[in-house]
Amino acid sequence: DTAVSQTPKYLVTQMGNDKSIKCEQNLGHDTMYWYKQDSKKFLKIMFSYNNKELIINETVPNRFSPKSPDKAHLNLHINSLELGDSAVYFCASSHDQGNTEAFFGQGTRLTVV
Amino acid sequence: DAKTTQPNSMESNEEEPVHLPCNHSTISGTDYIHWYRQLPSQGPEYVIHGLTSNVNNRMASLAIAEDRKSSTLILHRATLRDAAVYYCILREGGGADGLTFGKGTHLIIQP
């Protein structure tokens, strides 16, 4: 069983479209995150949810909207996709907000054309 | 967030120990030192973390300087599978801010 799973693994779409990336964790963790890794390989946190509540919202365009239907899921919806949104998006989870290890998914490579 | 400084890349031979350094001269008393690694085309993977004392686990050892301004990740016997980018990350005691990744060290393992 994969601890943190993301779908899809690859996503190619046109500018202006709306798309969603799904994330599920089966670890029973309270905290989930979305990270973005750009073409220069820098990894940056975008959002953090704890028990379905938004905790961290870094400077991310409001075209990006995370949704957590329950503790095990944190989906990322992106409206009006732009070329600059092309990146690898990683979902992660941790037991809580403290200094515990984070488990990452395999990533979703989004390409906007 | 306190910053870390790591060499851009390091090279080592298979089956030899590897010492990956990290400087964090502005570390605060409540910052934990975390190490993650990212293998090619995969998500980051937790390696180890510590506060003041040296730490050991099945993957690696973490040696923390007495003044805490630097630390060293030790892979005791490198394998080809250890080739990855290794990130040294400081995280505040509460940890609520997530992980702030830097550029990391690209570790190359020669057979």
Side-chain angles (χ1 to χ4, degrees), chain A residues 79-91:
Chain A
N79 288 328
S80 304
L81 279 155
E82 299 177 358
L83 293 176
D85 297 332
S86 296
V88 181
Y89 293 84
F90 289 100
C91 177

Side-chain angles (χ1 to χ4, degrees), chain B residues 82-93:
Chain B
D82 291 321
V85 179
Y86 286 78
Y87 298 97
C88 170
I89 300 166
L90 298 184
R91 200 170 182 198
E92 291 177 14

Side-chain angles (χ1 to χ4, degrees), chain A residues 33 35 37 41-45 48 55-56 58 90 94 96-107, chain B residues 30 32 34 36 38 41-46 49 87 91-103:
Chain A
Y33 312 84
Y35 287 82
Q37 188 166 37
K41 302 296 186 183
F42 288 116
L43 260 164
K44 291 185 181 178
I45 189 165
S48 167
I55 302 298
I56 297 172
E58 291 296 314
F90 289 100
S94 61
D96 52 37
Q97 297 177 73
N99 267 285
T100 55
E101 65 183 280
F103 292 79
F104 284 78
Q106 290 298 297
Chain B
T30 56
Y32 283 73
H34 287 249
Y36 281 75
Q38 188 173 20
S41 301
Q42 294 192 26
E45 175 187 29
Y46 169 83
H49 79 283
Y87 298 97
R91 200 170 182 198
E92 291 177 14
D97 55 344
L99 297 164
T100 302
F101 288 83
K103 295 181 182 179

Side-chain angles (χ1 to χ4, degrees), chain B residues 14-69:
Chain B
E14 200 177 4
E15 298 186 6
E16 290 186 358
V18 180
H19 290 235
L20 295 161
C22 180
N23 287 321
H24 28 78
S25 57
T26 59
I27 190 171
S28 76
T30 56
D31 284 337
Y32 283 73
I33 302 159
H34 287 249
W35 283 83
Y36 281 75
R37 70 180 186 181
Q38 188 173 20
L39 278 63
S41 301
Q42 294 192 26
E45 175 187 29
Y46 169 83
V47 179
I48 201 165
H49 79 283
L51 182 61
T52 56
S53 304
N54 294 344
V55 185
N56 300 298
N57 67 20
R58 62 174 180 81
M59 286 182 72
S61 295
L62 176 59
I64 302 172
E66 203 168 323
D67 64 4
R68 300 186 72 235
K69 293 186 177 182

Side-chain angles (χ1 to χ4, degrees), chain A residues 1-98:
Chain A
D1 271 352
T2 304
V4 181
S5 58
Q6 300 178 224
T7 54
K9 190 170 180 181
Y10 300 97
L11 183 54
V12 181
T13 188
Q14 290 187 326
M15 277 174 49
N17 282 352
D18 303 338
K19 290 293 177 186
S20 292
I21 306 172
K22 295 186 176 180
C23 178
E24 176 182 5
Q25 54 96 1
N26 63 5
L27 299 167
H29 287 168
D30 286 344
T31 307
M32 295 185 72
Y33 312 84
W34 277 108
Y35 287 82
K36 177 182 179 180
Q37 188 166 37
D38 61 24
S39 57
K40 294 183 179 177
K41 302 296 186 183
F42 288 116
L43 260 164
K44 291 185 181 178
I45 189 165
M46 300 172 68
F47 301 103
S48 167
Y49 269 70
N50 188 61
N51 277 318
K52 301 196 301 174
E53 287 190 24
L54 181 65
I55 302 298
I56 297 172
N57 183 352
E58 291 296 314
T59 308
V60 175
N62 56 17
R63 298 181 294 104
F64 289 79
S65 54
K67 288 204 171 36
S68 182
D70 55 58
K71 272 185 7 175
H73 296 85
L74 181 61
N75 304 322
L76 184 65
H77 189 74
I78 315 170
N79 288 328
S80 304
L81 279 155
E82 299 177 358
L83 293 176
D85 297 332
S86 296
V88 181
Y89 293 84
F90 289 100
C91 177
S93 75
S94 61
H95 182 260
D96 52 37
Q97 297 177 73

